[in-house]
Amino acid sequence: MTVMLSLRDVRKAYRSASRDVNALDGVDLDLPSDHALALVGESGCGKTTLGELTVGLQRPDAGQIMHASGVDLANCRPRSLRSLRPRLQMVFQNPFASFAPHLRLHQSLAPVARRQGIAQPMIISALVDSLEQVGLSAAHLDRYPAQLSGGQLQRASLARALLCDPQYIVADEISSALDVAAQDELTRLLGRLRAQRHFTLLFITHDLGLARQVADDVCVMDAGRIVERGRADQVLDDPQTRAAKRLVDAIPRFRY
Amino acid sequence: MRIRLMVAAGILGVMILAFSLPHGDPSAVDLTAVLQPPSQAHPLGTDDLGRDVWALMAVGFWRTLTVVVTASLTSVLIGVPLGLIAGYSRGAVNAIIMTATDLTMIIPTFVAALLVTAVVGLTPFSAGLVLGLFGAGTYVNQTRALTLSIRSYDYVRAEVLLATPTVQILLRHVLPGVAGPLMRYFGSSASGTILAYAGLAFIGLGVDTTVPDWGTMLYRHRSQIDHPLLLLWPTLGIFLLAIVFHILADPALRKEGQ
């Protein structure tokens, strides 16, 4: 099992005039290749910050984020970071903010395909392929983001990430804006895509039920630290920490 | 709302058309026909030198329009790119651009224009260039503020992850978001330019009476109390043109608020 990303004592604080917030308070984490890890925890526990650090959207105040290629995302020069892009991808929580509102879908996607070295005459068919992989069709290419539903936009975001032949995708609460049926479809899709494309997945959620569907392992975060890690079933059936117990108790269940 | 816009566009259209019609020589002096009321030969009458006021108004209109276009282009072409760069890069580049901007902002535009036009002479082009240059600071500030907020949107951050070149992010993703809100400022700054140019000419930098400006006309005729029409025409011209630009740039704001 090779490790794709390895975080050591990662710290990050958000400072403001009134107070400092320790978003991450010393996180150690290994992300194996071709592995799905769920990051669960309550709002504000540092999940999104951790996700953004692992794709280089932010830098930590201290610590190491070592990529398998030997680049330390926490301390490297911008040029080294660019060399890892665009293979580290992220799908954001709010589908309606994920695409430029003034561009049709094909206008947003075509430059990505072009930079991947796809020849001009092949671009449209490459875009259609990538949309079909996520359950959309050529008909969606001409739409503006406002003409697509939240679920469709999240699929389009996945398609955009897949165009980059990603090694790693952070899915940050990607289904929290969707209804239950769309949520279920999206998580199933994510599972299928992983089986086909073998990218490492960091699945950020506050829903342990979803985490079990998607992920091999689960990490529970609380107040900027990882407090529990284990197989998804194990954490769900036998939570060890208070934070994990609270999340397990929050899963809706039928009552008889 | 639509009606306001159409009326404004209509007024501008009529002004452009009317002032494009052939008119007499604005510098033709006729001392036998001074201070005449409007007539068939002189639709707006004549001034104290017997010159055709309509011809003076027409020349003044085109000169004012030249100032507005020159000033706006200068401000936008300098201010918007610098604002985009400052807002997106932060760091040292931002500090340099903002310091330079602050320096131009603390010098009153009108005073700077007064000094420069006093040296190189008041032509519509020189006035437009100076007014535009010193007006660019506000464009830098506005563009920078908008860029700072747009760069935090997920669709811009997604482009960073997609390894999109920065120039392309700025032009394709940030600029369209900046353009709408800037349009509204564009209108009021164009109106401001019209007033500033009239002010420069009135103050006497346009004392060359052979090249008539609306501000020069106000200056020359300010004592002609018995012939208020002579003051009414340039005032009306300045007022209409300023308000037309103000209204035309307004819908951008309203669309945003919907």
Side-chain angles (χ1 to χ4, degrees):
Chain A
M1 191 174 79
T2 54
V3 174
M4 191 212 81
L5 267 183
S6 150
L7 287 72
R8 288 292 169 269
D9 196 26
V10 169
R11 290 165 191 279
K12 176 86 187 173
Y14 295 110
R15 293 171 218 293
S16 68
S18 52
R19 64 195 190 117
D20 292 355
V21 178
N22 280 327
L24 294 178
D25 199 9
V27 170
D28 294 306
L29 178 67
D30 283 335
L31 268 169
S33 299
D34 194 10
H35 185 84
L37 178 72
L39 198 58
V40 298
E42 294 178 352
S43 299
C45 70
K47 304 185 298 283
T48 297
T49 303
L50 186 58
E52 292 185 351
L53 290 175
T54 59
V55 291
L57 265 185
Q58 294 195 55
R59 292 200 184 218
D61 302 330
Q64 268 195 350
I65 303 174
M66 198 55 89
H67 184 261
S69 65
V71 173
D72 176 5
L73 271 67
N75 304 298
C76 68
R77 296 164 55 177
R79 182 179 304 170
S80 313
L81 194 54
R82 273 199 292 275
S83 72
L84 296 180
R85 288 182 177 142
R87 296 198 66 207
L88 309 181
Q89 282 298 311
M90 181 155 178
V91 178
F92 296 95
Q93 179 169 10
N94 180 2
F96 302 101
S98 295
F99 284 90
H102 56 277
L103 296 179
R104 295 175 193 274
L105 205 49
H106 73 85
Q107 293 174 308
S108 281
L109 296 180
V112 183
R114 205 168 294 135
R115 278 196 304 277
Q116 284 297 304
I118 296 171
Q120 188 64 33
M122 305 297 294
I123 289 212
I124 292 296
S125 70
L127 296 188
V128 173
D129 280 353
S130 73
L131 286 188
E132 283 173 351
Q133 273 189 65
V134 297
L136 297 175
S137 70
H140 295 107
L141 276 179
D142 262 340
R143 307 257 177 97
Y144 286 102
Q147 298 169 317
L148 297 169
S149 70
Q152 288 171 330
L153 284 168
Q154 287 306 54
R155 287 159 185 269
S157 286
L158 271 174
R160 177 168 64 183
L162 290 174
L163 274 174
C164 302
D165 187 22
Q167 177 184 38
Y168 173 54
I169 296 182
V170 176
D172 183 11
E173 305 254 16
I174 60 169
S175 60
S176 64
L178 310 181
D179 64 59
V180 187
Q183 227 172 44
D184 188 53
E185 276 179 45
L186 194 64
T187 41
R188 279 172 202 278
L189 170 68
L190 210 48
R192 278 202 306 279
L193 290 172
R194 252 188 34 79
Q196 291 163 12
R197 305 286 294 264
H198 303 290
F199 50 85
T200 302
L201 176 69
L202 184 67
F203 187 76
I204 299 177
T205 181
H206 53 259
D207 184 333
L208 268 175
L210 282 179
R212 166 145 62 179
Q213 271 185 43
V214 176
D216 309 317
D217 279 6
V218 170
C219 275
V220 180
M221 279 190 81
D222 186 33
R225 294 166 181 272
I226 291 176
V227 292
E228 187 167 342
R229 177 170 189 170
R231 307 290 306 170
D233 294 331
Q234 184 190 324
V235 174
L236 265 153
D237 296 339
D238 184 20
Q240 298 297 311
T241 54
R242 228 187 82 237
K245 283 191 182 107
R246 280 171 59 101
L247 289 168
V248 170
D249 288 343
I251 300 174
R253 265 178 272 260
F254 291 114
R255 294 189 182 188
Y256 299 103
Chain B
M1 294 305 139
R2 184 67 52 89
I3 294 172
R4 248 164 69 102
L5 191 64
M6 278 162 57
V7 169
I11 292 175
L12 184 63
V14 168
M15 283 175 109
I16 289 177
L17 262 173
F19 289 129
S20 306
L21 294 174
H23 53 73
D25 180 359
S27 53
V29 172
D30 180 2
L31 292 178
T32 64
V34 299
L35 297 172
Q36 293 203 338
S39 64
Q40 199 121 41
H42 305 290
L44 300 183
T46 60
D47 73 353
D48 56 338
L49 294 173
R51 296 180 303 178
D52 181 29
V53 173
W54 176 259
L56 295 172
M57 285 295 293
V59 174
F61 172 79
W62 291 112
R63 287 170 65 87
T64 305
L65 215 56
T66 309
V67 174
V68 173
V69 172
T70 312
S72 302
L73 278 182
T74 309
S75 286
V76 169
L77 290 181
I78 293 175
V80 173
L82 286 180
L84 283 173
I85 294 168
Y88 198 80
S89 65
R90 299 190 262 198
V93 179
N94 170 53
I96 293 168
I97 294 175
M98 292 324 290
T99 307
T101 304
D102 289 345
L103 284 178
T104 67
M105 300 277 294
I106 56 169
I107 303 170
T109 304
F110 192 75
V111 174
L114 209 56
L115 288 174
V116 174
T117 50
V119 174
V120 302
L122 184 75
T123 69
F125 194 68
S126 71
L129 218 55
V130 181
L131 290 174
L133 200 63
F134 282 88
T138 315
Y139 280 90
V140 176
N141 282 335
Q142 301 244 351
T143 308
R144 174 172 171 273
L146 290 163
T147 304
L148 275 173
S149 91
I150 292 174
R151 65 168 291 162
S152 68
Y153 291 174
D154 284 345
Y155 66 83
V156 174
R157 299 180 347 131
E159 295 299 324
V160 172
L161 289 180
L162 292 164
T164 307
T166 305
V167 174
Q168 213 169 316
I169 295 180
L170 287 177
L171 293 181
R172 263 175 74 96
H173 296 90
V174 179
L175 185 59
V178 168
L182 265 192
M183 265 307 281
R184 135 187 172 228
Y185 177 70
F186 184 84
S188 62
S189 86
S191 308
T193 304
I194 294 169
L195 299 181
Y197 183 61
L200 285 174
F202 180 84
I203 268 184
L205 286 163
V207 281
D208 182 356
T209 43
T210 58
V211 276
D213 278 306
W214 290 350
T216 314
M217 293 168 73
L218 285 176
Y219 173 76
R220 276 190 51 85
H221 304 317
R222 68 191 186 285
S223 52
Q224 299 282 1
I225 295 169
D226 297 336
H227 303 276
L229 280 183
L230 280 180
L231 289 172
L232 177 69
W233 302 129
T235 309
L236 208 57
I238 293 166
F239 168 74
L240 280 179
L241 201 55
I243 202 163
V244 155
F245 274 103
H246 199 80
I247 293 174
L248 281 182
D250 216 23
L253 166 69
R254 207 164 290 115
K255 203 170 149 197
E256 203 192 347
Q258 270 171 4

